[in-house]
Amino acid sequence: MPVTRALLVPVKAFSRAKHRLADHLDPSEREALVRALAHRVLRARGTMRAFVACDDEDVASFAVAEGAQVLWTAGLGLSGAVSAAVGHLGTKGIDLVVVAHGDLPFAPGLDTFGEEGAVTLAPDRTERGTNVAAVPARAGFRFSYGLDSFGRHRNEAARLGLACSVVRDWRLAVDVDHPSDLALLGASPAAAIAALGTDGENPTAWKDEEA
């Protein structure tokens, strides 16, 4: 039988997101950027059903408008919210969950990312964070985000006895967390936000490396 996949994107309340950019973007610009980035990542779902894990009504409304289903994960923190959401999807017939952070401006199509019965990780540029992770939905995988999450997630795969592959793709390694990251968008904040909101093709080209 074909593998049933889903995309899960955890999204923080827009009013609390990207405070590290406060010296460069005012609150309305930060919210517009976060919305545009999340739109880009959700658009990369391809043929997958999309879900947004959140604890904010504005984010929930945004998710519905984007054609995603909302998984309410109040009070759990990022790691707890993602772990709970993945486990919930496993009870709904989903085999493989692709978890992608909502701030990847160059995210390509994600519907072929990962493989059945295995863990696939895409690290950030420092190879310390985890920008995208595909995990079997019913494996009981415990997410642990934050500094050095990439190493912890590889260890978690080993704990569960699951094969783990690493995808090193610059399009997934680039995220927008710090002021210097804005320059990667190659435009003024307003132009970058407008560009992120446009439609277009997202090529898919994965090369997995065994961890």
Side-chain angles (χ1 to χ4, degrees), residues 78-80 82-83 128-130 141-153 156:
L78 176 58
S79 299
V82 171
S83 296
R128 301 183 73 179
T130 309
F141 192 95
R142 296 196 297 244
F143 287 84
S144 181
Y145 288 105
L147 191 63
D148 294 324
S149 69
F150 178 52
R152 288 194 298 275
H153 289 152
E156 177 66 0

Side-chain angles (χ1 to χ4, degrees), residues 54-94:
C54 67
D55 61 359
D56 179 82
E57 292 289 355
D58 286 342
V59 173
S61 297
F62 164 83
V64 171
E66 291 285 333
Q69 294 178 251
V70 175
L71 298 178
W72 196 259
T73 52
L76 298 179
L78 176 58
S79 299
V82 171
S83 296
V86 169
H88 173 75
L89 291 174
T91 70
K92 301 299 182 182
I94 301 298

Side-chain angles (χ1 to χ4, degrees), residues 3-169:
V3 178
T4 304
R5 298 167 174 261
L7 174 66
L8 175 66
V9 182
V11 180
K12 183 187 290 188
F14 298 132
S15 61
R16 293 187 281 113
K18 303 302 178 189
H19 277 260
R20 291 172 180 162
L21 305 179
D23 289 342
H24 297 263
L25 302 176
D26 64 32
S28 63
E29 289 175 322
R30 291 201 305 275
E31 177 171 342
L33 177 63
V34 172
R35 286 175 178 269
L37 288 166
H39 165 79
R40 176 57 66 98
V41 175
L42 286 167
R43 189 164 58 82
R45 64 182 178 263
T47 58
M48 291 188 291
R49 294 167 63 191
F51 297 83
V52 169
C54 67
D55 61 359
D56 179 82
E57 292 289 355
D58 286 342
V59 173
S61 297
F62 164 83
V64 171
E66 291 285 333
Q69 294 178 251
V70 175
L71 298 178
W72 196 259
T73 52
L76 298 179
L78 176 58
S79 299
V82 171
S83 296
V86 169
H88 173 75
L89 291 174
T91 70
K92 301 299 182 182
I94 301 298
D95 299 315
L96 187 74
V97 181
V98 180
V99 183
H101 284 318
D103 62 349
L104 310 179
F106 306 113
L110 293 169
D111 52 349
T112 59
F113 184 91
E115 58 184 285
E116 182 181 9
V119 172
T120 306
L121 304 173
D124 64 9
R125 284 168 288 168
T126 68
E127 297 217 355
R128 301 183 73 179
T130 309
N131 280 356
V132 184
V135 303
R138 291 177 289 277
F141 192 95
R142 296 196 297 244
F143 287 84
S144 181
Y145 288 105
L147 191 63
D148 294 324
S149 69
F150 178 52
R152 288 194 298 275
H153 289 152
R154 294 175 77 173
N155 291 339
E156 177 66 0
R159 182 186 74 83
L160 293 171
L162 296 171
C164 182
S165 294
V166 176
V167 172
R168 292 180 171 87
D169 185 317

